[in-house]
């Protein structure tokens, strides 16, 4: 009987320790084969067995660590994840068992454990125990430094006193100052807090950095005591800020510098570093650096050439607050020493290229104030930079600086030419003639991804159907090794569950004979549910799943030569001539079309009445249905529109209160309800614009291919998601909108409302996608700028779209060269921010509109409310930009 192995199996850790301690190295190694075999056995246990056998795993972990005599092997065994679980593990028995090893051996194991990023935090107590008495230096890996900082922050004492005066073991917090003072590793590890790739999370556990007991205050205290050099903290913080990172990660280092309260000499020593931070660091860090450099200027420690270097960097940043503060600093410097203007004015001109024309104007006024009559060479340099000013300011700059680029030729309105992107190019989707090897390669790739596109899925489905019809045996032989790692493809796996397979996997499983035909029957519920009233994402997914199931069933019962609904183009559209050709081939071969496949083909086919005669000539039921579909009214799906502030019903029966928003409701589509298979019926039912759901997040792009010729209906379905992106924290729906704009069918009011809503999305990526959709519609001649402008006005009044977000999106659209298009949209929206009282961001929106008019020279009547806004006194952005827009419109009208 193997006594040690029995002790391990029974989970007797105390007995394992007593059995291993007296053994020699040779005797310990002799137990390793049996322990390794038990470990391999444990890997095959399911979670229930592992939970019940936790004492065995603990004992096995202890025994293996004690029996390995090599440091590398011991560290590998100790760090093994298969011998651990999520429950806390007492490392004291293991530390006691290894305490008798040689100091060098223990130090080697400790450093090896510290180098394992995944487990170092859990093993930190053991690492410290192994290092005790070895005189070895502390590990400096990122994981160990983070674990040390956490353990120091949460350090506890061993005992406390109860109210009755009796002592009992109960940990209580120990002050951070005491923990740092008593830890011998403090002088060695503190410098490494500034060298880790990411700061230790526990460093930021404070409300105010000056509070005693928090890391910034205690590190400053260590520097004051001489435990850590002050220069180490200063240089470490600045170097870490220069490395960059997320704002939240950099805040600790800036707070530490504040607590250290650098002297003027210490600040001046790092002047170049402050300039670099002001140029490239995240905005909060750059603001701190700018304040430091301003203090150096006030102390007379920032020379003009350094100030100019700093200004050229800061004035290039997009943050208006930083640019405005820098212009103020330049003004002070120019007033203090007028002779520095040859150095500072060219730096000031860096603001001429800023997107905000107010800041451009401030910089130009600063130049005008300090330029002297004899500064001819300086005027020449500044005139060159003045070419970056807006058209209106270039005229002012020409009066001040002399010869600059003519603001009216060729870049001005007289020579303006609208720039729009090319209309989206469509790629043909071809499957005929592709080899068996290509099919297998594609199917194997799609079986291992959750991000398949509609184009890839449709190609794989049609190729599988074609090759299964030609030679199912050969296809199965080729698929089997390619899908050997899929559990449902194994020969001993039995029948696969179709609810857990994607479309290509369903057909591949059918080819391999891994599906029961009864599980693929049309009347069988999908995912355990029928075709009731579910969200639209669920309905769309059920359509794609039902069609794949239908094709898989036909593989098993009556193989089809090919699929009817395979798109002609990558966007999902099916050309009518292709569908007529396929139906003709079906008739010639005596094949009966699969109902879901033919229904999907109708939804994808491009409506062309000229092809109806050919479809009618087929003299089949499908041909007559196609002819009727091609000649039916292709107008946008009818819908109603209203404003609501009520969300969906909650689980307790009430309704959520939400910001006011526009809701579209689709009418019933009778043809789909009466003539299509049951799984398609939810697509034709009336739907309200209730808030979006999440369970199909990531599948929306693939769902676009279900109705690629009905953008309006899809826009109604998408609107709740887009509204969530505008009034909440949601994101990602804009990507669907940009693709939706490229599809077919009329671009009606629903699509325009969807674009308008997304232009005010909270997150930049969604606004960029909305700009893409706007430009696509403009490029194809389908954009109704007046309609879009009215929608934006209504959304602005409701608060769904914020003026500053719309300004950002409009600025992006205009910057592509579409100034006239952008102005045509904004012209109808500005009244909402001019007539309903001042709105936050209204001045920014007016600035974009003025910039568009100045570039393209568009005329037309003044937007409602512009004249009163322009007549306001003062220098607010709203009044300034309103005057600028009115001047631009009056100038364009006079020129016209």
């Amino acid at each position: 009987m193997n006594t040690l192995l029995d002790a391990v199996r029974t989970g007797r850790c105390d007995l394992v320790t007593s059995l291993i301690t007296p053994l020699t190295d040779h005797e310990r190694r002799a137990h390793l084969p049996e322990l390794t075999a038990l470990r391999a056995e444990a890997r095959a246990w399911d979670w229930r067995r592992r939970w019940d056998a936790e004492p065995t795993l603990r004992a096995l972990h202890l025994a293996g660590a004690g029996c390995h005599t090599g440091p590398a092997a011991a560290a590998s065994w100790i760090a093994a994840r298969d011998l651990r679980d999520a429950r806390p593990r007492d490392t004291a028995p293991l530390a006691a068992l290894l305490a008798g090893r040689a100091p060098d051996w223990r130090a080697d194991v400790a450093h090896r454990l510290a180098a394992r990023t995944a487990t170092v935090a859990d093993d930190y107590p053991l690492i410290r125990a192994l290092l005790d008495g070895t005189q070895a230096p502390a590990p400096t890996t990122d994981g160990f430094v983070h674990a040390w900082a956490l353990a120091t922050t949460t350090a506890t004492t061993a005992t406390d006193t109860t109210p009755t005066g009796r002592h009992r073991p109960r940990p209580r917090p120990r002050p951070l100052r005491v923990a740092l003072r008593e830890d011998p590793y403090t002088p060695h590890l503190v410098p490494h807090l500034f060298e880790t790739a990411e700061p230790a999370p526990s460093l930021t556990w404070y409300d105010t950095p000056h509070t005693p007991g928090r890391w910034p205050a205690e590190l400053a205290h260590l520097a004051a005591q001489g435990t850590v050099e002050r220069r180490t903290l200063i240089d470490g913080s600045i170097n870490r800020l220069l490395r960059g990172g997320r704002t939240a990660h950099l805040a600790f280092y800036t707070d530490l510098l504040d607590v250290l309260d650098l002297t003027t000499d210490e600040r001046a020593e790092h002047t170049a570093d402050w300039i670099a931070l002001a140029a490239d660091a995240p905005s909060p860090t750059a603001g701190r650096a700018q304040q430091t450099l301003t203090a150096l200027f006030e102390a007379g420690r920032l020379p003009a050439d350094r100030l100019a270097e700093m200004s050229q960097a800061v004035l290039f940043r997009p943050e208006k607050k930083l640019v405005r503060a820098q212009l103020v600093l330049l003004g002070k410097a120019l007033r203090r020493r007028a002779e520095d203007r040859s150095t500072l004015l060219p730096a000031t001109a860096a603001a001429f290229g800023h997107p905000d024309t107010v800041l451009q104007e401030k910089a130009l006024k600063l130049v005008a104030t300090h330029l002297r009559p004899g500064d001819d060479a300086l005027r020449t340099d500044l005139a060159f930079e003045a070419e970056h000013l807006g058209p209106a300011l270039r005229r002012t700059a020409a009066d001040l600086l002399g010869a600059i680029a003519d603001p009216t030729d060729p870049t001005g309105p007289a020579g303006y030419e609208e720039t729009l992107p090319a209309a989206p190019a469509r790629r043909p989707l071809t499957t005929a003639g592709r080899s068996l090897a290509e099919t297998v390669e594609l199917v194997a790739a799609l079986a291992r991804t959750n991000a398949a596109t509609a184009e890839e899925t449709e190609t794989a489905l049609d190729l599988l159907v074609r090759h299964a019809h030609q030679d199912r045996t050969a296809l199965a032989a080729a698929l089997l090794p390619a899908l050997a790692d899929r559990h449902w493809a194994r020969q001993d796996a039995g029948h696969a569950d179709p609810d857990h397979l994607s479309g290509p996997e369903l057909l591949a499983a059918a080819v391999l004979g891994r599906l029961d035909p009864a599980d693929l029957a049309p009347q069988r519920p999908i995912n355990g549910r029928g075709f009731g009233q579910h969200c639209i994402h669920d309905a769309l997914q059920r359509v794609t799943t039902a069609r794949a199931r239908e094709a898989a069933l036909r593989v098993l019962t009556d193989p089809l030569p090919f699929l009817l609904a395979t798109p002609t183009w990558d966007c999902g559209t099916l050309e009518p001539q292709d569908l007529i050709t396929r139906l003709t081939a079906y008739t010639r071969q005596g094949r009966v079309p699969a109902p879901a496949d033919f229904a999907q083909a109708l939804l994808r086919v491009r409506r062309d009445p000229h092809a109806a005669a050919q479809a009618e000539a087929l003299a089949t039921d499908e041909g007559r249905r196609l002819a009727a579909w091609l000649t039916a009214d292709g107008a946008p799906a009818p819908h109603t529109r209203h404003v609501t502030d009520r969300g969906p019903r909650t689980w307790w029966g009430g309704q959520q209160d939400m910001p006011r928003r526009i809701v579209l409701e689709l009418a019933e589509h009778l043809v789909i309800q009466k003539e299509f298979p049951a799984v398609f019926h939810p697509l034709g039912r009336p739907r309200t614009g209730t808030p979006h759901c999440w369970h199909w997040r990531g599948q929306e792009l693939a769902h676009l291919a279900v109705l690629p010729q009905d953008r309006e209906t899809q826009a109604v379905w998408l609107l709740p998601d887009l509204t969530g992106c505008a009034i909440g924290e949601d994101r990602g729906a804009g990507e669907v909108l940009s693709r939706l704009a490229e599809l077919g069918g009329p671009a009606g009011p629903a699509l325009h409302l969807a674009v308008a809503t997304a232009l005010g999305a909270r997150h930049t990526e969604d606004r960029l996608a909305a700009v893409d959709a706007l430009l696509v519609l403009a490029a194809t001649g389908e954009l109704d700028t007046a309609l879009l402008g009215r929608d934006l006005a209504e959304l602005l009044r409701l608060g769904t779209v914020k003026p500053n977000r719309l300004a950002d999106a409009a600025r992006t659209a205009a910057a592509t060269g579409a100034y006239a298009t952008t102005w045509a949209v904004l012209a109808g929206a500005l009244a909402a921010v001019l007539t309903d009282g001042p709105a936050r961001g209204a001045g920014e929106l007016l600035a974009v509109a003025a910039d568009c008019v100045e570039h393209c020279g568009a005329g037309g009547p003044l937007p409602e409310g512009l004249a009163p806004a322009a007549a306001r006194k003062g220098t607010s952005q709203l009044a300034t930009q309103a005057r600028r827009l009115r001047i631009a419109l009056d100038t364009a009208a006079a020129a016209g």
Side-chain angles (χ1 to χ4, degrees), residues 253-508:
Y253 305 103
T254 55
D255 288 341
L256 177 57
L257 291 173
D258 286 345
V259 175
L260 290 171
D261 192 17
L262 275 59
T263 65
T264 301
D265 289 338
E266 288 171 333
R267 291 174 178 173
E269 184 180 352
H270 291 279
T271 299
D273 297 328
W274 303 124
I275 293 175
L277 291 173
D280 298 319
S283 186
T285 306
R288 298 278 191 98
Q290 187 184 48
Q291 293 171 5
T292 302
L293 290 166
T294 300
L296 288 175
F297 167 78
E298 299 291 351
R301 302 292 295 274
L302 189 66
D305 58 337
R306 286 293 202 175
L307 177 57
E309 179 185 356
M310 168 198 178
S311 300
Q312 288 177 332
V314 173
L315 295 178
F316 189 73
R317 295 183 67 106
E319 298 94 336
K320 298 176 186 178
K321 181 178 179 180
L322 296 179
V323 175
R324 192 179 300 113
Q326 194 65 28
L327 291 174
V328 171
L329 180 59
L330 283 169
K332 291 180 180 180
L334 288 165
R335 288 191 296 272
R336 178 181 293 184
R337 287 177 53 89
E339 57 270 26
D340 289 337
R341 64 183 181 278
S342 60
T343 301
L344 298 181
L345 287 181
T348 305
F352 289 172
H354 197 276
D356 190 289
T357 55
V358 173
L359 296 176
Q360 293 181 13
E361 186 177 7
K362 286 182 179 293
L364 186 58
K365 287 181 178 179
L366 192 60
V367 169
T369 300
H370 296 280
L371 198 61
R372 297 293 180 265
D375 295 336
D376 295 335
L378 187 54
R379 289 177 188 276
T380 302
D381 293 340
L382 294 172
F384 177 77
E385 296 294 334
E387 297 179 11
H388 299 292
L389 291 167
L393 291 177
R394 283 206 300 268
R395 300 184 185 95
T396 304
D399 297 336
L400 173 66
L401 303 174
I404 64 173
D406 188 345
T408 60
D409 186 25
T411 61
Y416 175 75
E417 183 177 349
E418 184 83 345
T419 302
L420 292 173
R426 295 177 176 175
R427 300 188 311 273
L429 191 153
T430 56
T431 56
R434 297 182 67 169
S435 67
L436 180 63
E438 291 178 284
T439 302
V440 172
E441 181 181 2
L442 177 59
V443 173
L446 296 185
R448 294 169 177 83
T449 181
N450 293 323
T453 65
E455 179 183 4
E456 293 170 335
T457 299
E458 289 294 336
T459 301
L461 292 178
D462 192 58
L463 286 174
L464 284 168
V465 168
R466 288 175 181 271
H467 286 287
H469 178 261
Q470 294 170 6
D471 191 342
R472 177 182 165 185
T473 302
L475 177 59
L479 283 174
L480 193 58
L483 299 174
D485 61 331
R486 313 310 294 171
H487 66 90
W488 50 265
R490 297 199 305 264
Q491 293 183 354
D492 59 346
H495 288 148
D497 183 358
D499 287 340
H500 296 91
L501 300 181
S502 66
E505 287 178 317
L506 273 170
L507 265 72

Side-chain angles (χ1 to χ4, degrees), residues 618-851:
L618 293 175
T620 62
D621 291 341
E622 290 75 19
R624 286 186 285 273
R625 286 183 61 191
L626 175 58
W629 185 267
L630 293 175
T631 55
D633 182 13
H639 61 265
T640 58
R641 171 173 174 156
H642 66 274
V643 175
T644 183
D645 58 357
R646 306 302 291 173
R649 292 195 175 275
T650 59
W651 63 271
W652 62 83
Q655 283 189 307
Q656 295 174 333
D657 291 327
M658 299 186 68
R660 299 182 71 202
R661 66 199 190 282
I662 299 175
V663 170
L664 302 182
E665 298 184 2
L666 280 172
E668 187 174 25
H669 197 304
L670 294 178
V671 174
I672 293 180
Q673 288 288 309
K674 295 179 178 180
E675 300 181 10
F676 280 53
V679 72
F680 288 81
H681 291 176
L683 303 185
R685 290 174 185 156
R687 287 197 175 268
T688 60
T690 53
H692 58 286
C693 59
W694 291 95
H695 61 282
W696 287 116
R697 178 62 71 189
Q699 297 294 319
E700 295 93 338
L701 289 177
H703 292 161
L704 291 179
V706 176
L707 282 88
Q709 287 295 302
D710 195 348
R711 286 182 291 187
E712 281 292 280
T713 295
Q714 299 217 54
V716 173
W717 293 339
L718 182 60
L719 183 62
D721 288 339
L722 296 173
T723 303
C725 292
I727 65 177
E729 297 287 343
D730 304 342
R731 67 198 313 162
E735 182 184 6
V736 185
L737 177 65
S738 63
R739 290 290 300 275
L740 179 60
E742 300 178 6
L743 300 185
L751 182 57
H752 281 74
L753 178 60
V755 172
T757 304
L759 288 172
R762 180 181 185 88
H763 297 287
T764 303
E765 63 267 26
D766 288 313
R767 294 198 298 271
L768 289 175
V771 170
D772 287 342
L774 185 152
L775 295 176
V776 165
L777 294 177
T780 56
E782 298 174 295
L783 180 66
D784 187 335
T785 56
L787 174 59
L788 185 58
R790 291 193 298 272
D791 285 338
L792 285 170
E794 184 176 4
L795 292 169
L796 286 166
R797 290 191 174 100
L798 291 172
T800 303
V801 169
K802 304 292 190 296
N804 59 326
R805 297 177 186 172
L806 176 58
D808 177 73
R811 186 183 302 111
T812 302
T816 65
Y819 290 100
T821 300
T822 305
W823 163 245
V825 172
L826 293 181
L830 291 179
V833 297
L834 291 171
T835 60
D836 295 349
R840 184 179 180 182
E844 189 177 355
L845 189 59
L846 287 170
V848 178
D851 194 42

